[in-house]
Coordinates of all heavy atoms in Angstrom, one line a residue:
S128 N -6.9 11.8 14.4 CA -5.9 12.8 14.1 C -4.9 12.9 15.3 O -3.7 13.0 15.1 CB -6.5 14.1 13.8 OG -7.3 14.1 12.7
L131 N -2.6 10.0 15.3 CA -1.5 10.0 14.3 C -0.5 11.1 14.7 O 0.7 10.8 14.4 CB -2.2 10.4 12.9 CG -3.0 9.2 12.3 CD1 -3.8 9.7 11.1 CD2 -2.1 8.1 12.0
D132 N -0.9 12.2 15.2 CA 0.1 13.2 15.7 C 1.0 12.6 16.7 O 2.3 12.8 16.7 CB -0.6 14.4 16.3 CG -1.3 15.2 15.2 OD1 -1.0 15.1 14.0 OD2 -2.2 16.1 15.6
L134 N 1.7 9.3 17.2 CA 2.6 8.3 16.5 C 3.7 9.0 15.8 O 4.9 8.5 15.8 CB 1.8 7.4 15.6 CG 0.9 6.4 16.3 CD1 -0.1 5.8 15.3 CD2 1.8 5.3 16.9
E135 N 3.5 10.1 15.1 CA 4.5 10.8 14.4 C 5.6 11.3 15.3 O 6.8 11.3 15.0 CB 3.9 11.9 13.5 CG 3.2 11.4 12.3 CD 2.7 12.4 11.4 OE1 1.6 13.0 11.7 OE2 3.3 12.7 10.4
L136 N 5.2 11.8 16.5 CA 6.2 12.2 17.5 C 7.0 11.1 18.0 O 8.2 11.2 18.1 CB 5.4 12.9 18.6 CG 4.9 14.3 18.4 CD1 4.1 14.8 19.6 CD2 6.0 15.3 18.1
I138 N 7.7 8.3 16.4 CA 8.6 7.9 15.4 C 9.8 8.9 15.2 O 10.9 8.6 15.0 CB 7.9 7.7 14.1 CG1 6.9 6.5 14.2 CG2 8.8 7.5 12.9 CD1 5.9 6.4 13.1
I148 N 6.0 2.4 13.9 CA 6.0 2.7 12.5 C 4.9 1.9 11.8 O 4.1 2.4 11.1 CB 7.4 2.4 11.9 CG1 8.4 3.4 12.4 CG2 7.3 2.4 10.4 CD1 9.8 3.0 12.1
A151 N 1.6 3.3 12.7 CA 1.3 4.5 12.0 C 0.9 4.2 10.6 O 0.0 4.9 10.0 CB 2.6 5.4 12.0
I152 N 1.6 3.3 9.9 CA 1.2 2.9 8.5 C -0.2 2.5 8.5 O -1.0 2.9 7.6 CB 2.2 1.8 8.0 CG1 3.6 2.3 7.9 CG2 1.6 1.2 6.7 CD1 4.6 1.2 7.7
T153 N -0.6 1.6 9.4 CA -2.0 1.1 9.4 C -3.0 2.3 9.7 O -4.0 2.4 9.0 CB -2.2 0.0 10.5 OG1 -1.3 -1.0 10.2 CG2 -3.6 -0.5 10.6
R154 N -2.7 3.1 10.7 CA -3.6 4.1 11.1 C -3.7 5.2 10.0 O -4.8 5.8 9.8 CB -3.3 4.7 12.4 CG -3.4 3.7 13.6 CD -4.7 3.0 13.7 NE -5.6 3.9 14.4 CZ -7.0 3.8 14.3 NH1 -7.5 2.9 13.5 NH2 -7.7 4.6 14.9
M155 N -2.6 5.5 9.3 CA -2.7 6.5 8.2 C -3.5 6.0 7.1 O -4.3 6.8 6.5 CB -1.2 6.8 7.8 CG -0.5 7.6 8.8 SD 1.2 7.9 8.2 CE 1.8 8.9 9.6
Q156 N -3.5 4.7 6.8 CA -4.3 4.2 5.8 C -5.8 4.2 6.3 O -6.7 4.4 5.5 CB -3.9 2.7 5.4 CG -2.6 2.7 4.7 CD -2.1 1.3 4.4 OE1 -2.5 0.7 3.4 NE2 -1.4 0.7 5.3
K167 N -6.2 15.9 4.1 CA -5.0 15.2 4.7 C -4.9 13.7 4.2 O -3.9 13.1 4.5 CB -5.0 15.2 6.2 CG -4.8 16.6 6.8 CD -4.6 16.5 8.3 CE -5.7 17.2 9.0 NZ -5.5 17.0 10.5
A168 N -6.0 13.2 3.6 CA -6.0 11.8 3.3 C -4.8 11.3 2.4 O -4.1 10.4 2.7 CB -7.3 11.4 2.6
A169 N -4.6 12.0 1.3 CA -3.5 11.7 0.4 C -2.2 11.9 1.1 O -1.2 11.1 0.9 CB -3.6 12.5 -0.9
D170 N -2.1 13.0 1.9 CA -0.8 13.2 2.6 C -0.5 12.1 3.5 O 0.7 11.7 3.6 CB -0.9 14.5 3.4 CG -0.8 15.8 2.5 OD1 -0.2 15.7 1.4 OD2 -1.4 16.8 2.9
Y171 N -1.5 11.6 4.2 CA -1.2 10.5 5.2 C -0.8 9.2 4.4 O 0.0 8.5 4.9 CB -2.5 10.2 6.0 CG -2.5 11.1 7.3 CD1 -3.7 11.7 7.6 CD2 -1.4 11.3 8.1 CE1 -3.8 12.5 8.7 CE2 -1.5 12.1 9.2 CZ -2.7 12.7 9.5 OH -2.7 13.5 10.7
L172 N -1.4 9.0 3.3 CA -1.1 7.8 2.5 C 0.4 8.0 2.0 O 1.2 7.0 2.0 CB -2.0 7.6 1.3 CG -3.4 7.1 1.6 CD1 -4.3 7.1 0.4 CD2 -3.3 5.8 2.2
L173 N 0.8 9.2 1.6 CA 2.2 9.4 1.1 C 3.1 9.2 2.3 O 4.2 8.5 2.1 CB 2.3 10.8 0.5 CG 3.7 11.1 -0.1 CD1 4.0 10.0 -1.2 CD2 3.7 12.5 -0.7
K174 N 2.8 9.6 3.5 CA 3.6 9.4 4.7 C 3.7 7.9 5.0 O 4.8 7.4 5.3 CB 3.1 10.1 5.9 CG 3.3 11.6 5.9 CD 2.7 12.2 7.1 CE 2.8 13.7 7.1 NZ 2.2 14.4 8.3
A175 N 2.6 7.2 4.9 CA 2.5 5.8 5.1 C 3.5 5.0 4.1 O 4.2 4.1 4.5 CB 1.1 5.2 5.0
S176 N 3.4 5.5 2.9 CA 4.3 4.9 1.9 C 5.8 5.1 2.3 O 6.6 4.2 2.2 CB 4.0 5.5 0.5 OG 5.0 5.1 -0.4
D177 N 6.1 6.3 2.7 CA 7.5 6.5 3.1 C 7.9 5.7 4.3 O 9.0 5.1 4.4 CB 7.7 8.0 3.5 CG 7.6 8.9 2.3 OD1 7.7 8.4 1.1 OD2 7.4 10.1 2.5
L178 N 7.0 5.5 5.3 CA 7.3 4.7 6.5 C 7.5 3.3 6.1 O 8.2 2.6 6.8 CB 6.1 4.9 7.5 CG 6.0 6.3 8.2 CD1 4.7 6.3 9.1 CD2 7.2 6.6 9.0
C179 N 6.8 2.8 5.1 CA 7.0 1.4 4.7 C 8.4 1.1 4.4 O 8.9 0.0 4.7 CB 6.1 1.1 3.4 SG 4.4 1.0 3.8
L180 N 9.2 2.0 3.9 CA 10.6 1.8 3.6 C 11.4 1.6 4.9 O 12.4 1.0 4.9 CB 11.2 2.9 2.8 CG 10.5 3.0 1.4 CD1 11.2 4.2 0.6 CD2 10.6 1.7 0.6
M181 N 10.9 2.3 6.0 CA 11.6 2.2 7.3 C 11.5 0.8 7.9 O 12.3 0.4 8.8 CB 11.1 3.2 8.2 CG 11.5 4.7 7.8 SD 10.7 5.9 8.8 CE 11.7 5.7 10.3
V182 N 10.5 0.0 7.5 CA 10.3 -1.3 8.0 C 10.5 -2.4 6.8 O 10.0 -3.5 6.9 CB 8.9 -1.5 8.6 CG1 8.9 -0.8 10.0 CG2 7.8 -1.1 7.7
S188 N 4.7 -0.2 0.1 CA 4.9 1.2 -0.3 C 4.3 1.5 -1.7 O 3.5 2.4 -1.9 CB 6.4 1.7 -0.2 OG 6.5 3.0 -0.6
I191 N 0.5 1.4 -1.7 CA 0.0 2.6 -1.2 C 0.1 3.8 -2.2 O -0.9 4.6 -2.4 CB 0.6 3.0 0.2 CG1 0.3 1.9 1.2 CG2 0.2 4.4 0.6 CD1 1.0 2.1 2.5
L192 N 1.2 3.8 -2.9 CA 1.4 4.9 -3.9 C 0.3 4.6 -5.1 O -0.2 5.6 -5.6 CB 2.8 4.8 -4.5 CG 3.9 5.2 -3.5 CD1 5.3 4.9 -4.1 CD2 3.8 6.7 -3.1
I195 N -2.9 6.1 -4.0 CA -2.9 7.6 -4.2 C -3.2 7.9 -5.7 O -4.0 8.8 -6.0 CB -1.6 8.2 -3.7 CG1 -1.4 8.0 -2.2 CG2 -1.6 9.7 -4.0 CD1 0.0 8.4 -1.7
Y202 N -4.2 15.2 -6.8 CA -3.3 15.5 -5.6 C -2.2 16.4 -6.1 O -1.6 16.2 -7.1 CB -2.8 14.2 -5.0 CG -2.0 14.3 -3.8 CD1 -2.2 15.1 -2.8 CD2 -0.8 13.5 -3.8 CE1 -1.4 15.1 -1.6 CE2 0.0 13.5 -2.6 CZ -0.3 14.3 -1.6 OH 0.5 14.4 -0.5
K204 N 0.8 16.6 -5.2 CA 2.1 16.0 -5.2 C 2.0 14.7 -6.1 O 2.9 13.8 -6.0 CB 2.6 15.6 -3.8 CG 2.7 16.8 -2.9 CD 3.1 16.3 -1.5 CE 3.2 17.5 -0.6 NZ 3.5 17.1 0.8
V208 N 4.5 11.3 -6.5 CA 4.0 10.0 -6.2 C 4.4 9.0 -7.4 O 4.9 7.9 -7.1 CB 2.5 10.0 -6.0 CG1 1.9 8.6 -5.9 CG2 2.1 10.8 -4.7
H215 N 10.9 3.2 -6.5 CA 10.8 2.0 -5.7 C 10.8 0.7 -6.5 O 11.4 -0.3 -6.2 CB 9.6 2.0 -4.8 CG 9.6 3.1 -3.7 ND1 10.7 3.7 -3.3 CD2 8.6 3.6 -3.0 CE1 10.4 4.6 -2.4 NE2 9.1 4.5 -2.2

Side-chain angles (χ1 to χ4, degrees):
S128 295
L131 288 171
D132 290 343
L134 283 167
E135 287 184 279
L136 285 173
I138 294 167
I148 294 168
I152 292 167
T153 300
R154 298 305 280 158
M155 288 175 177
Q156 292 179 87
K167 293 191 243 177
D170 286 331
Y171 276 132
L172 288 174
L173 187 55
K174 287 180 184 181
S176 171
D177 292 342
L178 290 174
C179 286
L180 298 181
M181 294 174 69
V182 290
S188 178
I191 294 171
L192 293 170
I195 298 169
Y202 180 45
K204 298 176 185 175
V208 172
H215 292 343

